[in-house]
Amino acid sequence: MRAAAAARGAALLVVPWQRLVVELGPVARVRGGADALDDADLVLPRIIPDGTLEQVILRVDLLHRLEDRGTRVVNPPRAIERTVDKLYTSALLEQAGLRTPETVVTEDVDEAMAAARRLGDCLVKPLFGSMGLGLVRVSDEDTAWRVLRAVQKTGGVFYVQRFVPPGGRDVRAFVVGDRVIGAIERRSDGWKTNVSRGGRATPCDLPPAWAAAAVTAARATACTYAGVDLLPAEDGGAPYLLEVNGIPGWRGLEEATGIDVAGALLDHLLAPAA
């Protein structure tokens, strides 16, 4: 990103979240050390680190504060809020008419257990999470009982989703604005295809209907740019929309395709308004 910014004559300031300060009163501003972020033309959050609930809320509040004061934030905080929460994302995708796997979300362990019995082969996912971490596949009642009880002991929420066999592959489409700039097919020997979990990425050309679904998913979650995960359906129909990542990494895409993702994103963000 730094090299892409320099190539376009843009100055890039990198500020860790822990150094950000909100000041209210006679001097109202958001700053990172001595630098006022209110003066930036663009703020590009590249990660929301793990932390306590208060720390995460503060970080998103900072983005809202910047946006409310007229600073352009990409992706905007409402997009990050929509995509960091799997239930919120799934509901918005379904509302947009996109195909999503059957899902039950509850705090009631008995309801979650009933859902696991009914769905049979299913995934138990953390409500918040990325890179395939924390996902557990269960296909029998004893395993489901143990997994759900473990979630209950940690005070978690039960997100139970029907398992759609990926056939060893899925697709990550990278959306910028209203178009897919590139896509990769991710393959693995197991059911987790994330590149960060050992999946192998190769470039792929998306059918127009798949590209349109990815753009619709990004638009439904208010993302200016996004990584959208799609899965072929067993019946050969419309793909399943699994996830929208509002702060996506792109190293795997760049290595597989040679696309300058950072440059394409900056070109879109720095282009004059139409």
Side-chain angles (χ1 to χ4, degrees):
M1 178 64 76
R2 191 182 297 275
R8 288 153 180 81
L12 181 66
L13 172 68
V14 179
V15 182
W17 284 98
Q18 293 80 0
R19 290 188 58 205
L20 295 178
V21 179
V22 178
E23 295 179 332
L24 307 175
V27 178
R29 60 181 176 174
V30 178
R31 61 179 175 85
D35 299 295
L37 269 67
D38 307 67
D39 298 333
D41 295 316
L42 173 70
V43 170
L44 188 70
R46 285 303 302 139
I47 189 173
I48 301 288
D50 290 337
T52 65
L53 178 60
E54 286 191 347
Q55 287 173 324
V56 173
I57 288 175
L58 171 60
R59 291 160 188 163
V60 178
D61 284 348
L62 286 163
L63 301 180
H64 276 295
R65 176 66 175 171
L66 284 166
E67 191 173 59
D68 290 344
R69 288 176 60 80
T71 301
R72 187 182 182 194
V73 181
V74 179
N75 275 314
R78 69 189 180 109
I80 293 171
E81 290 168 339
R82 291 179 174 194
T83 55
V84 76
D85 176 343
K86 287 186 175 64
L87 172 57
Y88 199 178
T89 303
S90 296
L92 289 168
L93 296 178
E94 183 182 63
Q95 185 176 316
L98 299 169
R99 192 176 191 182
T100 59
E102 185 178 356
T103 303
V104 175
V105 186
T106 179
E107 292 185 57
D108 188 317
V109 68
D110 294 327
E111 289 283 354
M113 192 67 204
R117 289 193 192 98
R118 178 170 56 81
L119 295 173
D121 196 356
C122 59
L123 298 176
V124 178
K125 299 181 178 183
L127 196 62
F128 306 116
S130 61
M131 298 186 296
L133 297 173
L135 276 67
V136 180
R137 181 180 176 184
V138 298
S139 54
D140 64 86
E141 190 167 336
D142 288 341
T143 303
W145 187 88
R146 289 194 296 270
V147 170
L148 294 175
R149 290 295 177 184
V151 174
Q152 184 183 37
K153 288 180 180 179
T154 63
V157 169
F158 306 107
Y159 184 105
V160 185
Q161 186 173 77
R162 184 173 72 85
F163 178 71
V164 180
R169 69 183 184 98
D170 68 2
V171 170
R172 161 63 67 93
F174 203 97
V175 178
V176 176
D178 286 326
R179 68 186 183 97
V180 174
I181 66 165
I184 52 174
E185 184 177 88
R186 302 182 299 189
R187 291 185 175 272
S188 74
D189 297 326
W191 58 270
K192 289 187 179 181
T193 58
N194 307 72
V195 173
S196 60
R197 309 297 292 169
R200 301 176 297 277
T202 56
C204 71
D205 294 322
L206 287 187
W210 285 47
V215 171
T216 298
R219 189 180 298 126
T221 51
C223 287
T224 300
Y225 75 106
V228 180
D229 294 343
L230 306 97
L231 189 66
E234 299 167 279
D235 60 10
Y240 286 100
L241 273 290
L242 296 182
E243 184 174 340
V244 179
N245 191 326
I247 311 181
W250 53 68
R251 179 178 298 174
L253 178 69
E254 285 192 329
E255 291 177 350
T257 66
I259 295 171
D260 179 10
V261 178
L265 176 58
L266 284 175
D267 286 341
H268 175 77
L269 297 178
L270 299 177

